């Protein structure tokens, strides 16, 4: 197939991704009368946003006094001062507006007796600049993400957004001036390759948590947006920062809620020792997520892990009354039985720190416009949600801030597109002659490869390497070796072979194409992490310990800056953190302690 | 079931909103699906078409299935072990 044979469909705007961020952006565009296409690998309400249960943050002050400035302070502190303060102010100020808007779209929030949106406390969210916990999380029972997607989807249907379901975007189209002119995509049902020619392209493709062996993320999170951006010469920002959850079921990754330790669950090593007593004598098993995760990894690294490979620890609730387990922790028994093969009433559950959330991503400003390595806006290109880095989460995200991120920056990116298209009411710029060459070369390579690497094996090798060399607790030697290994695995990814060469519903091909994206994210992560010689937020290095000069191992003098990784030559560069908010004073650097 | 239909079903079973469902339905498809009767396969397809937050409560036993054939499949799903 050549460029001339590729059907071209024209839209004002194309959005890749139909999770919270993509759907929120689409509303702005369609309601402004723009002809909008939304592409998704799955039906919109099957996007990963559904998995979010905890809630969405906004300083509504419905249950007690609250203020966006306090929310901003918490977010800056949570980010370990790596978040950009203009973007953080923007997000926290906009939060009440976007949440109330969502309510008007039909979101069934839990309510107080007076009929206001009910709010509950959530880790890291405080009143009066870090004084005491505040009720800021808005939820719809334990199905907040699900309810959010349904409300946003219905609104889009009303606004005539055109959905392309079970379509996979493969690459960005960029012209010689660097302007983005749409995407090339694959329709799974026909195997057809189509160009979506657009005046504006919005990426809302979600996270890439599947680069790790142990991940709470669903299989769909393969970082396609990041891979496409990287191949098109766009840098990826702060990819060394990944949030881990301490208790994922070993092997499967399925999340065991913090509530289990809240109800008295105890972590044990191979000698049955309650090891958290050594690391956190007061809080013990209820210490903060990062402290618990690091203790677990230390136990495993020092040979006190459990199982034949000594590669997990145990979460023990066998001392609890079975009736309490059934009543207070519904579903946990089923999860343990199905995903660990263990009845937790009788035996402890094997757990490991598990990748949960990606803080870094495609660099944007707070308008959702994508920035190149020089900080210049890339014309025609926007990004929002977990695939983007605005940067509001910096080195560590606060719970409930990501659903907020989707709403605020989904909407902002949509507004930016509407503005841009109004300002220069231009016709579509011509597609360059070679617009699909790179994509077609990739597909042709897959169709003709013989004697190549198996996709599953290669993915697994990548995931194991990321987990062992770039996990929740990082070591100089392991990172250096990790870089070498991941570059070796990249060579295997370049020669993957699929046995099924058919056109229609070729899932083997799709999985190989997903792996092309995963490997870009894995490289960005490993290389950025190896280079950052400090500990900050979720990036914790054994050789950057807590000292009086560098509390928590954070080295502001040398490392208070954003990483930018570029695919070409694996080049790293750095850019300053924006410390000037929009209207208030800078929240000055301080040691992060709770 | 032909290759196309099976691949479509596989995609819909392993690209879901929740990791739990990816794991369970994927494993079910490999291990149990080939031995199902056509009627059972049909019932499974209906379940697989549900949204995760409809299906998950059935699988983890907090809700129950009305349709007997679907209940049979749900019981099999509850038996799947992902380790
Ligand atoms: C278990 C779990 C619980 C969580 N709980 C919370 C919580 O309580 N509160 C909170 O704030 N955050 C929570 N998070 C984080 C939050 O859910 C995510 O960050 C957020 O939902 C991401 O939304 P998104 O719109 O960016 O992407 P997603 O919802 O992941 O959507 C991505 C979309 O992109 C599409 N897509 C991807 N690649 C392509 C491609 N190549 N072509 C076409 N389409 C593509 C997909 O089909 C999908 O529609 C949780 C995360 C997990 C894993």
């Amino acid at each position: 197939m050549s460029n001339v044979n590729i059907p071209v469909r024209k839209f004002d705007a194309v959005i890749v991704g139909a999770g919270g961020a993509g759907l929120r952006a689409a509303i702005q565009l369609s309601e402004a009368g723009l002809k909008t296409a939304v592409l998704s690998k799955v039906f919109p309400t099957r996007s990963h946003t559904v998995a979010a249960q905890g809630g969405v943050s906004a300083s509504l002050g419905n249950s007690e006094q609250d203020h966006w400035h306090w929310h901003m302070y918490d977010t800056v502190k949570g980010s370990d001062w790596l978040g950009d303060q203009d973007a953080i102010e923007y997000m926290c100020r906009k939060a009440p507006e976007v949440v109330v808007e969502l309510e008007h779209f039909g979101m069934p929030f839990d309510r107080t007796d007076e009929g206001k949106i009910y709010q509950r406390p959530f880790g890291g969210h405080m009143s009066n600049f870090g004084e005491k916990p505040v009720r800021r999380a808005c939820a719809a029972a334990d199905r907040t993400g699900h309810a959010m997607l349904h409300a946003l989807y219905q609104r889009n249907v009303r606004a005539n957004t055109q959905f392309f379901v079970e379509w996979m975007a493969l690459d960005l189209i960029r012209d010689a001036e660097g302007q983005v002119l749409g995407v090339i995509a694959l329709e799974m049902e026909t195997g057809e390759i189509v160009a979506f020619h657009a005046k504006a392209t919005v990426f809302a493709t979600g996270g890439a948590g599947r680069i790790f062996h142990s991940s709470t993320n669903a299989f769909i999170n393969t970082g396609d947006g990041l891979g496409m951006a990287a191949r098109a010469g766009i840098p990826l920002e702060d990819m060394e920062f990944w949030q881990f959850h301490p208790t994922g079921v070993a092997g499967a990754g399925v999340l065991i809620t913090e509530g289990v330790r809240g109800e008295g669950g105890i972590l044990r090593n191979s000698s049955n020792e309650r090891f958290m007593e050594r690391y956190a004598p007061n809080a013990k098993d209820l210490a903060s997520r990062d402290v618990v995760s690091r203790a677990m990894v230390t136990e495993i690294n020092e040979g006190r892990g459990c199982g034949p490979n000594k590669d997990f620890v145990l979460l023990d609730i066998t001392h609890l009354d079975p009736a309490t387990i059934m009543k207070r922790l519904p579903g946990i028994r089923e999860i343990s039985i199905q995903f660990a093969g263990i009845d937790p009433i009788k035996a402890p559950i094997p757990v490991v720190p598990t990748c949960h959330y990606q803080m870094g991503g495609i660099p944007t400003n707070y308008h959702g416009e994508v920035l190149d390595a020089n900080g210049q806006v890339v014309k025609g290109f926007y990004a929002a949600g977990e695939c983007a880095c605005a940067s509001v989460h910096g080195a560590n995200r606060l719970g409930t801030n990501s659903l907020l991120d989707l709403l605020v920056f989904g909407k902002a990116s949509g507004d930016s597109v509407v503005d841009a298209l109004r300002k220069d009411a231009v016709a579509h710029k011509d597609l360059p002659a070679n617009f699909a060459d790179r994509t077609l070369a990739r597909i042709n390579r897959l169709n003709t490869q013989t004697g190549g690497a198996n996709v599953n094996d290669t993915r697994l090798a990548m995931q194991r390497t990321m987990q062992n060399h770039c996990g929740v607790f990082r070591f100089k030697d392991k990172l250096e070796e990790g870089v070498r290994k991941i570059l070796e695995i990249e060579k295997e990814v370049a020669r993957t072979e699929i046995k099924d060469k058919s056109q229609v519903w070729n899932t083997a091909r799709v999985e190989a194409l997903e792996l092309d994206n995963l490997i870009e994210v894995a490289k960005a992560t490993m290389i950025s992490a190896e280079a950052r010689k400090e500990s900050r937020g979720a990036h914790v290095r054994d050789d950057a310990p807590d000292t009086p000069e560098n509390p928590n191992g954070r080295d502001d003098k040398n490392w208070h800056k954003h990483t930018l990784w570029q695919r070409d030559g694996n080049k790293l560069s750095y850019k300053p953190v924006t410390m000037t908010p929009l209207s208030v004073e800078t929240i000055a650097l301080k040691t992060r302690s709770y | 079931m032909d290759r196309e239909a099976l691949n479509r079903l596989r995609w819909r079973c392993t690209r879901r909103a929740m990791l739990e469902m990816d794991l369970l339905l994927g494993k079910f498809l490999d291990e149990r699906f080939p031995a199902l009767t056509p009627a059972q396969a049909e019932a499974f397809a209906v379940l697989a078409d549900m949204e995760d937050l409809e299906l998950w409560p059935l699988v983890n036993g907090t809700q129950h299935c009305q349709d007997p054939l679907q209940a049979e499949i749900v019981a099999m799903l509850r038996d799947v072990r992902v380790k």
Side-chain angles (χ1 to χ4, degrees):
Chain A
M1 196 192 270
S2 75
N3 285 331
V4 265
N5 299 328
I6 293 186
V8 177
R9 300 200 186 179
K10 278 193 183 184
F11 288 87
D12 291 319
V14 56
I15 299 179
V16 184
L23 291 181
R24 187 63 195 82
I27 291 173
Q28 294 312 98
L29 302 182
S30 295
E31 290 190 349
L34 297 178
K35 191 178 171 209
T36 306
V38 177
L39 274 57
S40 176
K41 292 200 281 188
V42 296
F43 192 78
T45 53
R46 284 201 177 182
S47 300
H48 198 40
T49 295
V50 167
Q53 304 188 335
V56 51
S57 52
S59 59
L60 296 170
N62 283 353
S63 305
E64 58 189 318
Q65 200 193 351
D66 199 3
H67 198 283
W68 65 260
H69 201 184
W70 301 345
H71 187 185
M72 175 183 175
Y73 176 86
D74 298 338
T75 306
V76 171
K77 177 178 170 183
S79 81
D80 217 350
W81 275 267
L82 195 71
D84 286 327
Q85 297 197 11
D86 54 349
I88 295 177
E89 176 179 336
Y90 183 81
M91 179 177 83
C92 297
R93 285 184 81 154
K94 283 273 178 192
E97 174 191 314
V98 294
V99 165
V100 169
E101 224 165 41
L102 189 63
E103 186 185 21
H104 293 159
F105 292 166
M107 170 90 171
F109 281 115
D110 297 344
R111 311 215 161 256
T112 64
D113 292 342
E114 308 97 83
K116 292 184 189 164
I117 294 176
Y118 172 80
Q119 298 190 278
R120 59 179 176 220
F122 218 92
H125 291 276
M126 318 279 267
S127 69
N128 206 14
F129 305 102
E131 215 173 80
K132 61 175 201 312
V134 72
R135 283 177 268 174
R136 189 178 285 149
C138 314
D142 59 356
R143 30 178 69 211
T144 307
H146 170 93
M148 182 185 272
L149 277 191
H150 277 265
L152 295 174
Y153 179 65
Q154 287 310 327
R155 187 87 186 180
N156 270 294
V157 169
R158 213 181 80 169
N160 283 324
T161 303
Q162 231 177 302
F163 286 98
F164 292 81
V165 172
E166 296 178 337
W167 282 71
M168 181 183 183
L170 302 178
D171 274 302
L172 270 177
I173 306 174
R174 254 186 124 181
D175 70 7
E177 281 100 64
Q179 183 165 341
V180 169
L181 303 177
V183 292
I184 316 267
L186 166 78
E187 181 178 27
M188 295 185 204
E189 197 184 334
T190 59
E192 195 177 29
I193 306 246
V194 173
F196 285 77
H197 187 189
K199 298 173 190 170
T201 303
V202 183
F203 271 13
T205 50
R210 299 307 303 181
I211 63 167
F212 288 97
H213 186 240
S214 188
S215 175
T216 66
N217 285 198
F219 290 178
I220 196 170
N221 277 10
T222 54
D224 296 356
L226 286 81
M228 289 187 268
R231 281 192 297 275
I234 309 283
L236 300 181
E237 179 172 344
D238 291 340
M239 290 306 299
E240 60 271 45
F241 298 101
W242 290 82
Q243 193 168 71
F244 281 69
H245 194 288
T247 53
V249 171
V254 171
L255 196 127
I256 303 280
T257 137
E258 243 121 25
V260 171
R261 279 171 291 136
E263 290 298 333
I266 290 172
L267 289 162
R268 298 187 188 280
N269 62 18
S270 55
S271 12
N272 211 28
E273 182 203 4
R274 182 181 194 179
F275 59 85
M276 281 313 299
E277 286 179 330
R278 271 188 281 122
Y279 296 88
N282 295 321
K284 295 184 186 139
D285 302 276
L286 290 175
S288 65
R289 280 186 187 179
D290 51 335
V291 172
V292 176
S293 295
R294 243 170 294 146
M296 292 166 69
V297 172
T298 306
E299 290 301 300
I300 293 168
N301 283 347
E302 294 180 356
R304 293 186 292 279
C306 307
N309 300 320
K310 296 181 157 301
D311 55 358
F312 56 80
V313 298
L314 296 169
L315 176 58
D316 187 3
I317 53 172
T318 55
H319 53 287
L320 301 184
D321 175 11
T324 310
I325 297 178
M326 309 295 260
K327 177 157 164 265
R328 295 270 178 75
L329 301 167
I332 286 301
R333 184 162 181 233
E334 278 71 18
I335 286 184
S336 308
I337 292 174
Q338 289 206 286
F339 299 102
I342 291 280
D343 182 348
I345 291 175
K346 299 187 191 128
I349 314 163
V351 290
V352 286
T354 297
C355 165
H356 191 47
Y357 184 80
Q358 161 196 317
M359 266 79 72
I362 301 168
T364 72
N365 57 22
Y366 67 86
H367 304 295
E369 296 168 316
V370 173
L371 305 174
D372 67 15
N374 303 314
Q376 301 300 310
V377 167
V378 178
K379 226 173 158 204
F381 193 25
Y382 306 78
E386 195 166 333
C387 74
C389 181
S391 144
V392 285
H393 309 299
N396 176 56
R397 165 196 74 124
L398 289 191
T400 69
N401 263 358
S402 37
L403 288 185
L404 176 61
D405 167 354
L406 313 182
L407 294 175
V408 170
F409 296 107
K411 183 178 184 192
S413 60
D415 283 338
S416 297
V417 171
V418 173
D419 280 354
L421 298 194
R422 255 193 210 125
K423 250 184 252 147
D424 14 53
V426 280
H428 284 78
K429 226 176 151 187
D430 284 343
L431 292 178
N434 60 350
F435 70 90
D437 283 4
R438 250 180 326 127
T439 316
L440 295 177
R442 254 184 334 127
I443 304 259
N444 289 340
R445 204 264 321 144
L446 261 180
N447 285 342
T448 52
Q449 179 79 49
T450 51
N454 175 284
V455 172
N456 278 333
D457 295 347
T458 311
R459 190 197 306 107
L460 196 59
M462 174 200 70
Q463 290 170 329
R464 290 233 158 92
T465 302
M466 293 309 296
Q467 193 79 26
N468 296 335
H469 292 264
C470 200
V472 70
F473 195 16
R474 296 170 176 176
F475 302 84
K476 182 172 185 292
D477 299 353
K478 288 211 168 191
L479 285 165
E480 287 167 1
E481 197 190 340
V483 171
R484 282 192 296 276
K485 281 192 174 175
I486 215 73
L487 294 176
E488 284 301 312
I489 294 168
E490 180 188 22
K491 292 182 196 154
E492 293 299 290
V493 175
R495 51 184 289 281
T496 47
E497 181 183 349
I498 49 173
K499 302 287 179 225
D500 183 355
K501 315 274 185 189
S502 53
Q503 268 294 101
V504 174
W505 271 111
N506 186 336
T507 42
R509 174 182 296 150
V510 170
E511 289 182 0
L513 293 166
E514 287 180 330
L515 182 57
D516 285 353
N517 297 320
L518 283 165
I519 192 68
E520 298 302 333
V521 183
K523 279 186 296 171
T525 299
M526 187 73 86
I527 290 168
S528 304
E530 191 278 324
R532 184 176 285 271
K533 306 284 188 305
E534 65 157 356
S535 297
R536 181 185 298 270
H539 173 67
V540 181
R541 289 179 66 122
D542 167 69
D543 57 348
D546 186 22
T547 61
E549 311 83 75
N550 292 332
N552 300 331
R554 198 178 85 192
D555 176 3
D556 288 327
K557 199 165 126 247
N558 295 303
W559 289 101
H560 186 229
K561 55 189 178 185
H562 295 293
T563 306
L564 292 175
W565 168 86
Q566 279 175 280
R567 180 173 186 265
D568 192 13
N570 287 307
K571 209 173 98 194
L572 291 178
S573 57
Y574 294 89
K575 68 174 181 183
V577 176
T578 304
M579 291 294 280
T580 316
L582 300 171
S583 72
V584 289
E585 286 193 0
T586 294
I587 296 171
L589 281 160
K590 230 168 65 173
T591 302
R592 177 166 160 261
S593 66
Y594 286 100
Chain B
M1 201 177 251
D2 63 15
R3 188 201 62 87
E4 268 174 57
L6 192 60
N7 275 2
R8 185 198 295 118
L9 186 59
R10 179 169 302 283
W11 183 253
R12 292 179 186 170
C13 285
T14 59
R15 290 297 181 285
R16 305 188 66 95
M18 287 169 67
L19 174 62
E20 287 85 342
M21 300 322 283
D22 284 342
L23 291 167
L24 282 182
L25 297 187
K27 188 104 180 181
F28 184 90
L29 210 52
D30 288 338
E31 291 179 354
R32 311 293 293 269
F33 187 77
L36 297 186
T37 66
Q40 285 175 321
E42 185 82 3
F44 174 71
V46 173
L47 290 167
D49 255 352
M50 286 184 173
E51 294 208 15
D52 283 0
L53 291 195
E54 295 165 359
L55 183 54
W56 179 234
L58 300 177
V59 175
N60 79 7
T62 48
Q63 274 173 32
H64 298 283
C65 217
Q66 300 309 318
D67 179 83
L69 204 51
Q70 284 178 17
E72 214 175 282
I73 304 292
V74 166
M76 289 185 196
L77 275 168
R78 283 172 65 82
D79 260 356
V80 172
R81 297 289 172 268
V82 180
K83 258 206 72 185

